[in-house]
Amino acid sequence: QVQLQESGGGSVQAGGSLRLSCAASGYTNRAKCLGWFRQVPGKEREGVATISIRDGTTYYVDSAKGRFTISQDNAKNTVYLQLNSLKPEDTGAYYCSGSVSPCATIPRFSQGAYDFWGQGTQVTVSS
């Protein structure tokens, strides 16, 4: 089993920045692909960005490109999501996720493709 713990959420004004962290523990070598998802009340979780643990290849949804950056520190078993130029529509609970399959082989922005989830951290962007 892999445990994921998010941190770094908060409240910011539009245009601001936040850095989310996802610390992995347990059988971390099982996770081949780590991702970040956002969820707002009444809607399914939607993928934001993913990263391949093996080679660091990153993937973004269109709304995140140019504003968000996913990165990893393998020595710390931690994945980060840098959120810049935040907009009110970025508001939501952000969840870290892990898959035992490589990012390139799964529908990486679909929540059903992931095996492990953190508890989430709230990001609120005010206008």
Side-chain angles (χ1 to χ4, degrees):
Q1 189 66 285
V2 178
Q3 291 80 43
L4 302 173
Q5 179 64 58
E6 306 93 335
S7 61
S11 297
V12 297
Q13 290 193 328
S17 298
L18 284 171
R19 188 176 81 155
L20 308 182
S21 299
C22 172
S25 60
Y27 294 96
T28 56
N29 61 341
R30 294 196 65 206
K32 302 297 189 290
C33 179
L34 288 180
W36 286 95
F37 282 70
R38 176 177 60 235
Q39 187 172 28
V40 297
K43 292 191 176 181
E44 285 193 353
R45 293 177 188 179
E46 56 180 8
V48 176
T50 66
I51 187 166
S52 170
I53 299 305
R54 181 180 65 85
D55 61 11
T57 302
T58 58
Y59 306 86
Y60 299 93
V61 293
D62 287 345
S63 61
K65 290 177 182 177
R67 299 191 301 126
F68 298 173
T69 303
I70 189 171
S71 61
Q72 61 182 344
D73 184 334
N74 288 340
K76 296 182 178 179
N77 289 326
T78 300
V79 172
Y80 304 97
L81 185 66
Q82 179 68 40
L83 308 172
N84 294 331
S85 302
L86 282 162
K87 304 175 182 180
E89 52 264 41
D90 296 320
T91 294
Y94 282 70
Y95 293 88
C96 183
S97 57
S99 172
V100 299
S101 300
C103 293
T105 67
I106 61 172
R108 47 191 166 268
F109 297 127
S110 172
Q111 61 178 358
Y114 291 82
D115 306 289
F116 315 110
W117 292 90
Q119 295 300 306
T121 186
Q122 179 68 30
V123 171
T124 302
V125 185
S126 58
S127 57

